[in-house]
Amino acid sequence: MENPHVSPQDIRHFIYTTFASNSRPPTSREIADHFNVATNCIDQGLARLAETHDIALAPGSFSIWMAHPFSGLPTNYVAKVDRKRYWGN
């Protein structure tokens, strides 16, 4: 059952929760599966979050590069918490 009413704030919360839990950003498919919606609905939300600078997307895609302070790509700024490693911006 699709829920077309997933807000950008809901998507943003899931992005941060996934970064904190998995040390990486979620994919559009993972977000869509979590909310039981089509991927294009999530992509629209990701685009809105990128427009408001809440996240940064890889050019020409909906891959999450950054949700400040988390980086989806390795950087020189590494934080280690317990057994997890996070890259920062």
Side-chain angles (χ1 to χ4, degrees), residues 57-87:
L57 299 173
S61 78
F62 293 101
S63 295
I64 301 166
W65 266 4
M66 182 194 73
H68 196 66
F70 295 112
S71 174
L73 301 172
T75 68
N76 290 329
Y77 308 101
V78 180
K80 294 178 186 175
V81 179
D82 296 324
R83 294 178 179 243
K84 294 181 182 177
R85 177 181 292 199
Y86 302 96
W87 289 296

Side-chain angles (χ1 to χ4, degrees), residues 1-88:
M1 173 181 213
E2 287 198 9
N3 178 359
H5 302 292
V6 178
S7 73
Q9 292 78 18
D10 293 334
I11 295 170
R12 184 174 182 258
H13 183 264
F14 184 73
I15 290 168
Y16 277 93
T17 300
T18 302
F19 254 123
S21 298
N22 301 332
S23 301
R24 65 166 182 81
T27 64
S28 291
R29 171 82 319 206
E30 289 170 330
I31 300 169
D33 288 348
H34 175 78
F35 289 108
N36 196 32
V37 298
T39 304
N40 67 337
C41 293
I42 297 304
D43 292 345
Q44 291 171 8
L46 291 173
R48 283 191 294 272
L49 288 169
E51 288 169 6
T52 57
H53 304 284
D54 288 295
I55 64 172
L57 299 173
S61 78
F62 293 101
S63 295
I64 301 166
W65 266 4
M66 182 194 73
H68 196 66
F70 295 112
S71 174
L73 301 172
T75 68
N76 290 329
Y77 308 101
V78 180
K80 294 178 186 175
V81 179
D82 296 324
R83 294 178 179 243
K84 294 181 182 177
R85 177 181 292 199
Y86 302 96
W87 289 296

